[in-house]
Amino acid sequence: MEMKMTKLEKWKEEAPTNCYACCTAALKEENDTPDQFGRSWRGRLSPLFWRVPIFVWSVAIISWSTAYFWGPREMFLLYMTHWGLILIFLESLFGIIVTVKKINGSLPDDKGLPWYVRTYWVLYNITVPVAFLITLFYWAVLRAPGKKINYAPNPILDVMLHGVNSGLMFVELMMSAHPSRLLHVMQPLYFALAYLLFTVAYYISGGLDPWGNAFIYPVINWAKPIQTLVVVTLTALFLALMHILTVGVAAARNFIARKCLKDKSGEYNDAFEA
């Protein structure tokens, strides 16, 4: 009971700081060391075994989707799907950098995180839930029965962009050793806000999609602001739910690691204590 009260008092004491950190999308660094970000929870299994293939996949799919884009090349970055693809490219690239530095012994030994580790962590916090959102939003809303617009005429590329993307990020989530935290929820939400502001600016400037429509996605049509705001609000809530799901999976992963591994050092995740 005394321990519970101590935790409650600690939570109350840190609440203003945690609230500020959450709103500003700051990283919450607790017992984190650079080493955690360059290894897997399976000990000797190097993250290079999955981060390098993810990086190669992202380069190949970016090249493929650019070459076979259904509209003018300058419109490639109109779509959240392609923003998410570039996120996967950057996240895997920085993940490889962190891992290689760990293998070379050039990661610092103290608990302070260098800039490239922090960059990787932010990209990870954004990329994983955004990938899940893109997949579910695409198949449930944009490709629902009765929809006429085909955003990926090539069926294989369609699955790569809107299915395999989530599968690869799930592998990254399940195999990594570093934590995911609830307080980082604003990082993917601010990324989504940046894309939303981009759609507003594009609409105001008179931009059209490849088919000549005055919107990028029919469900985000600023000519119908009320309908669009409802969709945007529900999407933001769903993205927050994807982040919570990510944190839950990471916590379950670490629980399994503590049960399976004899060496429990570094398997600390305070995601739900903040």
Side-chain angles (χ1 to χ4, degrees):
M1 183 65 179
E2 182 179 351
M3 182 179 296
K4 290 183 179 179
M5 289 300 296
T6 302
K7 287 185 177 181
L8 179 60
E9 291 173 357
K10 181 181 179 182
W11 183 87
K12 288 181 178 179
E13 181 181 350
E14 295 180 352
T17 303
N18 288 335
C19 183
Y20 176 79
C22 181
C23 292
T24 57
L27 285 173
K28 186 176 188 293
E29 300 178 35
E30 293 291 340
N31 297 318
D32 310 306
T33 61
D35 174 77
Q36 286 179 288
F37 298 84
R39 62 179 176 83
S40 71
W41 69 269
R42 292 299 303 270
R44 294 183 179 180
L45 180 64
S46 171
L48 292 179
F49 280 103
W50 70 85
R51 289 177 183 169
V52 169
I54 290 175
F55 175 77
V56 172
W57 176 89
S58 67
V59 172
I61 299 303
I62 288 174
S63 303
W64 185 7
S65 57
T66 302
Y68 290 91
F69 182 58
W70 56 87
R73 297 285 174 81
E74 60 270 19
M75 291 186 176
F76 181 78
L77 289 178
L78 289 183
Y79 298 96
M80 172 64 88
T81 295
H82 298 148
W83 286 38
L85 186 58
I86 292 173
L87 276 177
I88 294 175
F89 167 79
L90 293 173
E91 190 269 352
S92 58
L93 174 62
F94 275 89
I96 291 172
I97 292 172
V98 174
T99 305
V100 170
K101 283 185 171 292
K102 172 178 166 48
I103 294 173
N104 293 337
S106 57
L107 282 177
D109 296 329
D110 55 15
K111 292 185 178 180
L113 301 181
W115 70 269
Y116 48 87
V117 174
R118 293 169 61 87
T119 300
Y120 163 72
W121 197 5
V122 171
L123 288 169
Y124 167 91
N125 291 335
I126 296 173
T127 305
V128 175
V130 166
F132 295 161
L133 176 69
I134 287 172
T135 296
L136 293 173
F137 186 85
Y138 181 76
W139 295 107
V141 178
L142 297 178
R143 288 298 300 273
K147 301 297 183 182
K148 296 181 180 180
I149 297 178
N150 187 359
Y151 292 94
N154 186 303
I156 298 177
L157 182 60
D158 198 9
V159 173
M160 289 289 178
L161 289 171
H162 305 107
V164 175
N165 63 323
S166 289
L168 294 176
M169 286 300 96
F170 185 74
V171 171
E172 170 79 312
L173 170 61
M174 284 299 298
M175 297 305 297
S176 297
H178 56 81
S180 296
R181 296 203 168 98
L182 286 177
L183 281 181
H184 295 157
V185 66
M186 295 308 298
Q187 293 177 9
L189 287 176
Y190 282 153
F191 173 81
L193 177 61
Y195 179 77
L196 182 65
L197 294 176
F198 165 74
T199 66
V200 173
Y202 192 74
Y203 171 75
I204 293 175
S205 65
L208 304 175
D209 76 347
W211 295 277
N213 299 307
F215 53 74
I216 299 174
Y217 293 111
V219 294
I220 305 179
N221 183 357
W222 291 107
K224 304 175 182 178
I226 302 301
Q227 172 185 305
T228 298
L229 287 174
V230 171
V231 172
V232 167
T233 301
L234 292 175
T235 303
L237 291 174
F238 199 76
L239 179 56
L241 179 62
M242 292 298 97
H243 178 77
I244 294 171
L245 175 65
T246 299
V247 173
V249 171
R253 173 203 69 201
N254 288 352
F255 175 80
I256 295 171
R258 287 193 294 270
K259 293 295 183 180
C260 294
L261 301 179
K262 294 181 180 180
D263 180 12
K264 299 178 176 59
S265 61
E267 298 299 338
Y268 173 75
N269 186 356
D270 62 347
F272 295 101
E273 296 181 11

